[in-house]
Amino acid sequence: MSADDKHLIERRLASETLFKGNFLEARRDTVALPDGRSATREYVTHPGAVVVVPLLDDGRVVVERQYRYPVGRVMVEFPAGKLDAGEDPLTCGQRELLEETGYSAREWARAGEMHLAIAYSTEVLHIYFARGLQQGERQLDEGEFLDVFAATPAQLLDWSRSGELTDAKSLSCLLWLQNLLSGAWTLDWHTDPGQIPTPAG
């Protein structure tokens, strides 16, 4: 936070839990506004998650089709999953890639992070790219059903334009992928996971 942001910052005065589930919690806070008045903020706390962009040697990427109950439709998306308590994001990404797709990767690169819904959620998604993929057996969780397939970046961009692909994390990853393929952005690839920078904070 910059010192120049002081006129924007809200300060928490009180907090209450509205709902606590298996991994989501809804809270209502009373905050002091920059002008001295008070207001309430309702939001969801989330442990964070990881999304992986798996690059095949032929130029295609590995994606999934999965039914998402809250929106009531089958979604096209990149492999992703929530962080376990205290889990390193890269470890989570490696685990989710293997469990959901059966692939493991020779090289990994951290692309950054994104906040999924800043108005009402604490969720942070860590973005990783993976290449040098090797196919193995999927290890889906109990009650998890999804299809895995490969698509070209051009297909994914077409689907995002047509409205077939509307998942926010996957659209953000497509921006990264498009800039990576054009040479506008670069990634720092590593075969040794210990050399990959860890998220700040």
Side-chain angles (χ1 to χ4, degrees):
M1 178 180 69
S2 167
D4 296 336
D5 291 337
K6 286 185 177 178
H7 65 290
L8 301 173
I9 305 303
E10 301 174 355
R11 185 169 50 89
R12 183 169 61 200
L13 301 174
S15 184
E16 63 176 314
T17 299
L18 303 177
F19 166 81
K20 188 171 180 63
N22 291 330
F23 76 99
L24 292 179
E25 182 177 342
R27 303 194 65 82
R28 179 189 292 124
D29 289 3
T30 302
V31 300
L33 300 175
D35 65 2
R37 293 180 298 167
S38 64
T40 58
R41 299 287 181 253
E42 294 178 353
Y43 61 98
V44 173
T45 64
H46 188 286
V50 174
V51 57
V52 180
V53 182
L55 307 176
L56 291 167
D57 292 340
D58 64 7
R60 295 179 300 162
V61 292
V62 177
V63 288
E64 303 171 349
R65 295 180 72 250
Q66 185 173 8
Y67 182 77
R68 293 298 192 176
Y69 181 82
V71 295
R73 57 183 280 198
V74 173
M75 305 292 280
V76 175
E77 55 190 291
F78 286 108
K82 72 176 181 67
L83 289 162
D84 290 336
E87 187 177 26
D88 173 71
L90 175 60
T91 301
C92 176
Q94 293 170 326
R95 171 175 52 79
E96 291 293 337
L97 181 64
L98 179 63
E99 288 180 357
E100 294 186 356
T101 72
Y103 283 102
S104 57
R106 184 180 66 253
E107 293 182 272
W108 288 81
R110 176 175 167 77
E113 61 187 38
M114 59 182 150
H115 292 85
L116 187 65
I118 57 175
Y120 60 86
S121 175
T122 65
E123 183 175 3
V124 176
L125 276 149
H126 303 274
I127 309 169
Y128 288 91
F129 278 65
R131 69 184 183 187
L133 301 182
Q134 294 184 326
Q135 180 79 67
E137 291 293 326
R138 293 197 300 170
Q139 303 168 21
L140 293 176
D141 292 334
E142 184 179 354
E144 190 173 30
F145 305 91
L146 54 88
D147 292 336
V148 177
F149 66 103
T152 66
Q155 285 175 310
L156 295 177
L157 288 168
D158 284 344
W159 294 340
S160 67
R161 183 170 53 245
S162 68
E164 185 173 348
L165 193 165
T166 62
D167 172 53
K169 68 179 180 299
S170 299
L171 291 171
S172 297
C173 288
L174 267 179
L175 174 67
W176 247 105
L177 180 60
Q178 191 175 35
N179 281 285
L180 179 67
L181 294 176
S182 74
W185 295 357
T186 59
L187 287 171
D188 188 13
W189 291 96
H190 295 279
T191 55
D192 179 1
Q195 295 179 343
I196 298 175
T198 55

